[in-house]
Amino acid sequence: LTPAQAKFWFVTGYTAKVAGTEAGLGKAPQPTFSACFGGPFLVMHPTVYGEMLAEKMEEHGAECWLVNTGWSGGAYGSGSRMKLSITRAIVSAINNGTLVKEEFEEMPGWGLKIPKNVQGIENTNVLNPIKTWRSEQDFIKTIDKLGAAFRKNFENFRGRATPDVLAAMPKAYWPKKDDLLATDDHGHHNAKL
């Protein structure tokens, strides 16, 4: 992640409530947000902690990675949890320095860099979520709904967020760069780029 993306994702604090870990849930995981993954315990505004994270990244030359340890291959009921062996391979590649040397593609609208290969993962389709869904249209509909939830949640922090963090928010997903539309900070489409 870029420092701005690291700030956005850290301040957002996205996770999912999963049956068996939370009382009163059905079977399907429920998306939830907790600023900096500890919202109720924060003394300062969450954006302050985001800025501290970016400063420490810069000071120490640290890299920040966003790893999907959750769901893959479809919505709840058709997809499945990310295999632990895949997560281990990604974390190992981060730790041994090989992942940073791989070739990446960008996730449209989200600006996330997705590696095309990871040492130890044979089926590289699992690295790019759209390639694991049976229907690209269902993936785009789902990812756009999730992106809208991120933007709605971030309204809580917008007033104190820097422009680079606002630009790091997910926007509408489009499968081809030729079809990308410019979007404002709320994900509304303006005109073709």
Side-chain angles (χ1 to χ4, degrees):
L1 299 175
T2 66
Q5 289 172 324
K7 289 187 281 187
F8 172 81
W9 292 103
F10 181 57
V11 169
T12 297
Y14 172 75
T15 189
K17 295 179 183 179
V18 180
T21 62
E22 300 274 345
L25 290 180
K27 291 183 179 181
Q30 301 294 314
T32 190
F33 299 92
S34 179
C36 305
F37 303 97
F41 308 103
L42 301 179
V43 177
M44 297 179 281
H45 193 274
T47 57
V48 173
Y49 297 102
E51 289 299 326
M52 289 170 64
L53 172 63
E55 288 169 9
K56 293 294 182 186
M57 285 174 63
E58 185 174 333
E59 179 183 343
H60 298 286
E63 295 188 0
C64 185
W65 299 87
L66 184 65
V67 179
N68 178 10
T69 59
W71 215 253
S72 178
Y76 180 79
S78 63
S80 61
R81 295 269 322 177
M82 185 65 75
K83 291 182 181 179
L84 188 54
S85 60
I86 292 169
T87 300
R88 284 183 180 142
I90 293 169
V91 171
S92 291
I94 291 168
N95 288 334
N96 68 26
T98 58
L99 189 57
V100 74
K101 297 174 185 170
E102 292 291 346
E103 185 178 346
F104 291 80
E105 58 188 312
E106 188 171 312
M107 184 174 174
W110 287 59
L112 299 173
K113 303 291 184 191
I114 301 171
K116 291 185 176 183
N117 293 293
V118 174
Q119 186 178 18
I121 298 178
E122 290 182 29
N123 180 0
T124 58
N125 283 344
V126 74
L127 300 172
N128 188 336
I130 197 167
K131 294 178 181 177
T132 65
W133 283 54
R134 287 190 179 103
S135 164
E136 286 187 1
Q137 288 179 333
D138 288 346
F139 171 80
I140 293 169
K141 180 180 174 185
T142 302
I143 201 74
D144 281 349
K145 182 178 176 182
L146 183 59
F150 282 118
R151 291 188 299 275
K152 180 180 178 188
N153 173 70
F154 210 78
E155 288 299 319
N156 297 315
F157 315 111
R158 173 180 286 284
R160 303 249 332 242
T162 55
D164 61 331
V165 176
L166 295 174
M169 282 194 293
K171 295 165 186 66
Y173 183 102
W174 293 91
K176 293 182 270 183
K177 285 191 176 187
D178 293 345
D179 292 338
L180 278 176
L181 295 176
T183 56
D184 62 18
D185 291 339
H186 302 286
H188 300 116
H189 303 295
N190 294 325
K192 277 202 170 191
L193 295 173

